[in-house]
Amino acid sequence: MTTPLALIALIASIAALAIAPLSALLGWIAYRGMIHYRIRDPAEIAESGLASGKVDAGLLGRPWIVEDVASPFGYALRTRALAGTGPRVALFHHGVGWDWTGMGRRMELFRARGWTVVAFDSRGHGG
């Protein structure tokens, strides 16, 4: 005779075996979407941003100060800055698969109020 605990363990094992392939498939899809995205070059990102209206052409034409900051891990991080009229600084970081231009609208809010704005590209993104 089977005990209730053994029956519960059997049902849980069958459920785990049925769910495991689905879980593995969803994990693979999420991994591919988050880690193996298509890398776009800065010109392509600017072009698509301008076409979609997400990037203002005036943003690209401003007198940006462009510097590469050395990482302790041996690679450079590209930074861009616009000096403001006041003492405050706002640092902007963009999302995966994008570059600094994706933060343009948000940077403009601060820049219009006198802030110095600084945007940097993560390793493997943008510059």
Side-chain angles (χ1 to χ4, degrees):
M1 185 186 251
T2 306
T3 66
L5 185 57
L7 187 58
I8 291 171
L10 177 64
I11 292 170
S13 298
I14 292 170
L17 289 173
I19 292 172
L22 178 62
S23 177
L25 176 65
L26 292 175
W28 180 80
I29 290 169
Y31 170 78
R32 295 292 297 174
M34 291 185 292
I35 306 301
H36 289 285
Y37 53 88
R38 186 177 66 83
I39 296 175
R40 302 179 301 166
D41 67 26
E44 180 185 0
I45 292 171
E47 182 181 321
S48 69
L50 289 168
S52 68
K54 292 181 181 178
V55 174
D56 176 21
L59 173 75
L60 301 175
R62 293 210 170 93
W64 291 94
I65 301 164
V66 180
E67 299 273 339
D68 285 341
V69 178
S71 160
F73 301 105
Y75 53 86
L77 296 174
R78 173 74 41 93
T79 62
R80 287 166 183 80
L82 282 175
T85 58
R88 297 177 292 187
V89 175
L91 180 64
F92 292 88
H93 184 247
H94 59 80
V96 173
W98 197 245
D99 72 358
W100 68 279
T101 58
M103 299 305 302
R105 290 182 181 175
R106 292 160 191 86
M107 288 187 284
E108 184 57 30
L109 294 172
F110 286 85
R111 197 197 65 73
R113 290 170 178 77
W115 289 59
T116 294
V117 293
V118 179
F120 71 94
D121 288 334
S122 294
R123 179 175 105 179
H125 301 277

